[in-house]
Amino acid sequence: MVQRKIIHIDMDAFYASVEQRDHPAYRGKPIAVGGSPEGRGGVVATASYEARKFGVRSAMPSRKARELCPQVIFVKPRFDAYQAASAKIREIFHRYTDLIEPLSLDEAYLDVTEDKQQIGSAIEIAKMIKQAIREELQLTASAGVSVNKFVAKIASDMNKPDGLTFIGPSRIESFIDTLPVERFFGVGRVTAEKMKNLDIHTGADIKKMTEADLVKYFGKTGRFYYQIARGIDDRPVQPHRETKSLAAEDTFPEDLTTPDEMRPELDKITQTVCRRLRRHSLKGRTITLKIKYSDFRQITRSRSLPERVDDPDTILAVVMELLLSTDPTGKKIRLLGVSLSNFDERRAVPGRAGEAGAGQLELF
Ligand code: DCP
Ligand code: MG
């Protein structure tokens, strides 16, 4: 089998860069897309690199952003403009390959093991894509090039903005050895904490564990960590995968027992789901609440609405009704999750994960 050539492309400060491109007055200035100017409610979707110097970040409450950078300019998002830019970068990708797996508007995997123009070098292709994006869209992207999705994605983030990072097969192992566990795919706050408690801090620490132990501690994902720590990721680039649902959930350090405690948590989770919906330009008709109790029993409750929705207030209201229908008071709740499904098919975009083959080395 042939060694694959995978490119991960991720636009730099995507929404903010589109705004700076279209509004010269914002160029060179700290801007935050999203959030409310008065710092009342709302979170930042993304910040320009000028604002990031002050510590302004995605998902930060606008009040915090203003504290860190009083001169920050809050800009209302224009999703149509981001969608248009996204469609154009996909057109550019298609010049080289049809094996494209978009992860969101600004991010995609490309399999260029065989490219349409017979360029043969993934690094060259990544350069050409970056150049086309710069010339045709006046935007910059960062690229990661490697033999699998996991390494390519981390590589694209290593020299942002306007980066191009190649991690070849001979470097993969040492690279993963020093990688902090937080950077591993699927490791969230709670898993990272659990790993720290087991004295697992880096890829090298994961590699010391047996597969059986990893499965014991982390369930099915443990097997994935075992492979990834050895640089093995056979997930194929999947062009036609549709997102069937978008979800967010949180595990709590202490069990929750009252609806008053649960409401603010569900509010946060709902906000996260709504940001993801926006990022994928999706609206859903079916809202599902997931509850896991301290005894690991799990239930879900769903409701379908007449219209597709993506606004947090409507979704949270339904989620709270679903919660109250389960008579939550006094029950020990360990995890809450919210998901949206039943999307408008015309707008559905590909989502995550699957499995296939890998192989040996070829020229990059
Ligand atoms: N986004 C959002 N909420 C988040 C994260 C991101 O609405 N919590 C949106 C705004 C971003 C876009 O998605 O512009 C792409 O997300 P990225 O994580 O790729 O962030 P950026 O492209 O903004 O910056 P970077 O240069 O770090 O990729
Ligand atoms: Mg980006």
Side-chain angles (χ1 to χ4, degrees):
M1 233 184 294
V2 176
Q3 179 98 41
R4 293 182 300 160
K5 301 173 189 179
I6 308 294
I7 303 176
H8 179 260
I9 301 269
D10 188 307
M11 301 297 288
D12 301 320
F14 185 48
Y15 296 0
S17 304
V18 172
E19 295 306 331
Q20 288 182 319
R21 178 193 67 183
D22 296 349
H23 302 97
Y26 297 155
R27 292 184 198 157
K29 301 259 168 66
I31 71 165
V33 179
S36 78
E38 304 79 20
R40 277 192 270 108
V43 295
V44 172
T46 197
S48 67
Y49 277 84
E50 293 84 354
R52 290 185 196 192
K53 282 192 206 130
F54 294 86
V56 180
R57 296 279 180 272
S58 290
M60 179 180 274
S62 43
R63 184 183 317 132
K64 179 88 188 292
R66 165 144 300 200
E67 265 167 39
L68 291 170
C69 180
Q71 68 272 44
V72 71
I73 305 166
F74 289 96
V75 178
K76 211 166 158 246
R78 290 179 304 135
F79 294 102
D80 289 353
Y82 315 144
Q83 262 163 47
S86 180
K88 289 209 175 118
I89 60 171
R90 285 206 198 143
E91 249 172 65
I92 293 171
F93 299 159
H94 275 290
R95 295 174 196 166
Y96 302 95
T97 180
D98 292 326
L99 277 179
I100 301 165
E101 179 180 331
L103 296 176
S104 69
L105 289 181
D106 94 319
E107 205 186 325
Y109 291 113
L110 281 65
D111 185 327
V112 294
T113 313
E114 287 174 30
D115 69 277
K116 288 182 180 175
Q117 304 191 26
Q118 270 134 40
I119 294 159
S121 157
I123 296 171
E124 263 328 294
I125 295 169
K127 278 189 195 157
M128 293 161 104
I129 288 173
K130 277 164 54 75
Q131 193 183 340
I133 291 174
R134 182 196 304 282
E135 286 172 3
E136 296 169 37
L137 278 97
Q138 291 81 48
L139 293 171
T140 64
S142 293
V145 179
S146 192
V147 294
N148 63 43
K149 296 209 280 193
F150 176 70
V151 182
K153 183 164 162 78
I154 292 171
S156 74
D157 203 37
M158 285 173 65
N159 290 300
K160 262 185 171 291
D162 202 15
L164 197 175
T165 309
F166 167 59
I167 298 177
S170 60
R171 276 179 60 208
I172 287 183
E173 193 148 357
S174 59
F175 166 76
I176 292 179
D177 277 352
T178 55
L179 201 67
V181 290
E182 290 83 1
R183 303 291 300 276
F184 278 66
F185 176 80
V187 174
R189 188 165 51 92
V190 171
T191 308
E193 195 59 40
K194 202 162 152 188
M195 287 191 172
K196 296 258 147 79
N197 291 335
L198 291 163
D199 215 22
I200 302 175
H201 306 278
T202 63
D205 296 333
I206 296 184
K207 220 156 64 178
K208 285 184 215 142
M209 311 275 294
T210 63
E211 186 169 1
D213 272 344
L214 285 168
V215 171
K216 184 172 89 192
Y217 293 123
F218 305 107
K220 264 189 290 177
T221 342
R223 195 159 296 133
F224 182 69
Y225 298 146
Y226 180 85
Q227 302 251 317
I228 282 293
R230 285 159 183 76
I232 301 165
D233 173 13
D234 293 342
R235 291 172 303 155
V237 172
Q238 290 191 312
H240 297 300
R241 234 149 6 104
E242 265 179 29
T243 299
K244 295 253 167 28
S245 70
L246 278 182
E249 58 181 45
D250 206 359
T251 308
F252 310 111
E254 311 259 342
D255 295 338
L256 306 183
T257 53
T258 69
D260 282 349
E261 289 173 327
M262 294 167 205
R263 190 188 163 90
E265 299 299 338
L266 285 168
D267 187 14
K268 270 192 265 174
I269 295 166
T270 302
Q271 298 281 353
T272 304
V273 175
C274 290
R275 275 199 302 280
R276 290 184 183 157
L277 288 170
R278 283 285 176 81
R279 238 187 293 167
H280 291 266
S281 322
L282 290 168
K283 291 185 180 191
R285 211 161 66 80
T286 304
I287 299 166
T288 303
L289 169 71
K290 171 164 122 183
I291 304 176
K292 205 185 264 183
Y293 299 100
S294 60
D295 60 3
F296 292 103
R297 216 159 41 83
Q298 182 179 306
I299 62 163
T300 59
R301 293 287 179 271
S302 296
R303 161 142 352 133
S304 292
L305 305 176
E307 296 276 320
R308 296 180 171 84
V309 292
D310 67 352
D311 72 292
D313 292 345
T314 311
I315 297 173
L316 182 61
V318 174
V319 165
M320 284 307 294
E321 279 178 37
L322 291 169
L323 175 72
L324 295 174
S325 77
T326 68
D327 198 10
T329 306
K331 305 213 174 108
K332 291 183 172 174
I333 291 181
R334 169 155 302 177
L335 171 149
L336 289 169
V338 173
S339 76
L340 264 276
S341 54
N342 228 333
F343 303 130
D344 177 346
E345 280 190 81
R346 279 173 299 125
R347 296 206 123 176
V349 294
R352 292 201 179 276
E355 238 139 77
Q360 294 129 8
L361 178 63
E362 238 199 350
L363 261 188
F364 262 81

